[in-house]
Each structure stands twice: as C-alpha cells, then as structure tokens.
Amino acid sequence: MTEVDEMAVDIERIHQLNSVLRPFIKRPSSGDAVTFEQYRILHELVKEKTSTSELSRRLNVGQSMISIQISRLLKNGYIKDETLPTDRRYHVFQITDHGKAVHEHVSLVLAHELPQLMNKLASYVKV
C-alpha cells in the first residue's frame, strides 16, 4: 500500500470516528438541557469554584467558548457568578444545587453509555 493509499484509509477512519462522536458530544444529555461542553464545565465546578480563564486552561478551549457556555449555564441556574470582594472585576463561578443534580444525572448516563461508545470507537481504530 502506498503512502497516499494509507493516508486515504486514515482520513476515512477519522471521518468514521467523527460521525460516531459528533452525536454523542453535540446532543443534549438525556433530557437535561446541557451539552457535553457544558457538562465538562459543571464537572470542573463540582471540584471547586473557578474563573473563566482557569476553565479555559483546564479544558483546553478558548475563553470565548467558555464565556458562551458560562452564559447559558448561568441563564439556566446551573451555576452562579461570584465577584471577589477585593477585586470586583474578577469573577469566579460556582455550581448550584440544581447544577450538581444535573451533573450527577449526566454522570450516571455517561457511565452507562461511555463503554458502548468506546467499544464502537475501538472498531474504527487501527490496531
């Protein structure tokens, strides 16, 4: 098999992986109005309250994407905004009880669905 042929096979595998992952990542989770990206933010905030820039660093995504998701999570009451008394310009976000309940539910759904997804993905990965 030539290098070009091998690259074509790899590109096809990437396309197949993308088609398997996209619905899992983009869909709202089992009735909860959170996307996978929002779940990742909730997951970080369960550990500790933190800032937009720290979330961006931890999740390895741009601050603008984090800000958009933070706005949606705030609007739905999953998190709350807190400013530091020493510097009113600095905002940290904390998960609410409602957000914790959603996080717990989505975690249970993922624990059930993730092994199935991993098995499906393994069938596409070159061994």
Side-chain angles (χ1 to χ4, degrees), residues 41-90:
I41 292 170
L42 291 177
H43 188 72
E44 288 298 319
L45 294 177
V46 163
K47 299 173 194 173
E48 66 180 325
K49 58 185 172 182
T50 192
S51 67
T52 304
S53 59
E54 181 60 20
L55 285 168
S56 174
R57 187 190 66 73
R58 286 185 196 170
L59 299 175
N60 197 29
V61 294
Q63 282 194 27
S64 61
M65 193 287 285
I66 294 291
S67 294
I68 290 167
Q69 301 305 332
I70 288 286
S71 294
R72 292 176 181 159
L73 291 166
L74 283 166
K75 180 181 173 189
N76 290 314
Y78 299 133
I79 63 172
K80 62 184 177 181
D81 184 359
E82 186 179 302
T83 54
L84 295 181
T86 55
D87 186 351
R88 308 285 299 160
R89 297 169 296 170
Y90 189 76

Side-chain angles (χ1 to χ4, degrees), residues 26 39 53 68 93 124:
K26 292 295 182 186
Y39 169 77
S53 59
I68 290 167
F93 300 95
Y124 293 111

Side-chain angles (χ1 to χ4, degrees), residues 8-127:
V9 169
D10 289 342
I11 289 170
E12 179 57 28
R13 284 194 176 120
I14 290 168
H15 176 70
Q16 290 172 339
L17 286 169
N18 187 46
S19 66
V20 170
L21 286 171
R22 182 169 296 282
F24 182 80
I25 292 171
K26 292 295 182 186
R27 73 170 167 78
S29 315
S30 301
D32 295 313
V34 294
T35 63
F36 191 71
E37 292 86 359
Q38 291 166 351
Y39 169 77
R40 291 179 64 208
I41 292 170
L42 291 177
H43 188 72
E44 288 298 319
L45 294 177
V46 163
K47 299 173 194 173
E48 66 180 325
K49 58 185 172 182
T50 192
S51 67
T52 304
S53 59
E54 181 60 20
L55 285 168
S56 174
R57 187 190 66 73
R58 286 185 196 170
L59 299 175
N60 197 29
V61 294
Q63 282 194 27
S64 61
M65 193 287 285
I66 294 291
S67 294
I68 290 167
Q69 301 305 332
I70 288 286
S71 294
R72 292 176 181 159
L73 291 166
L74 283 166
K75 180 181 173 189
N76 290 314
Y78 299 133
I79 63 172
K80 62 184 177 181
D81 184 359
E82 186 179 302
T83 54
L84 295 181
T86 55
D87 186 351
R88 308 285 299 160
R89 297 169 296 170
Y90 189 76
H91 294 258
V92 291
F93 300 95
Q94 184 173 2
I95 194 166
T96 63
D97 289 340
H98 182 54
K100 287 177 187 175
V102 169
H103 175 267
E104 184 176 330
H105 175 74
V106 174
S107 293
L108 291 172
V109 170
L110 288 176
H112 173 71
E113 291 183 5
L114 203 51
Q116 297 166 13
L117 176 65
M118 295 305 289
N119 286 337
K120 194 170 186 178
L121 290 173
S123 70
Y124 293 111
V125 177
K126 194 189 292 188
V127 181

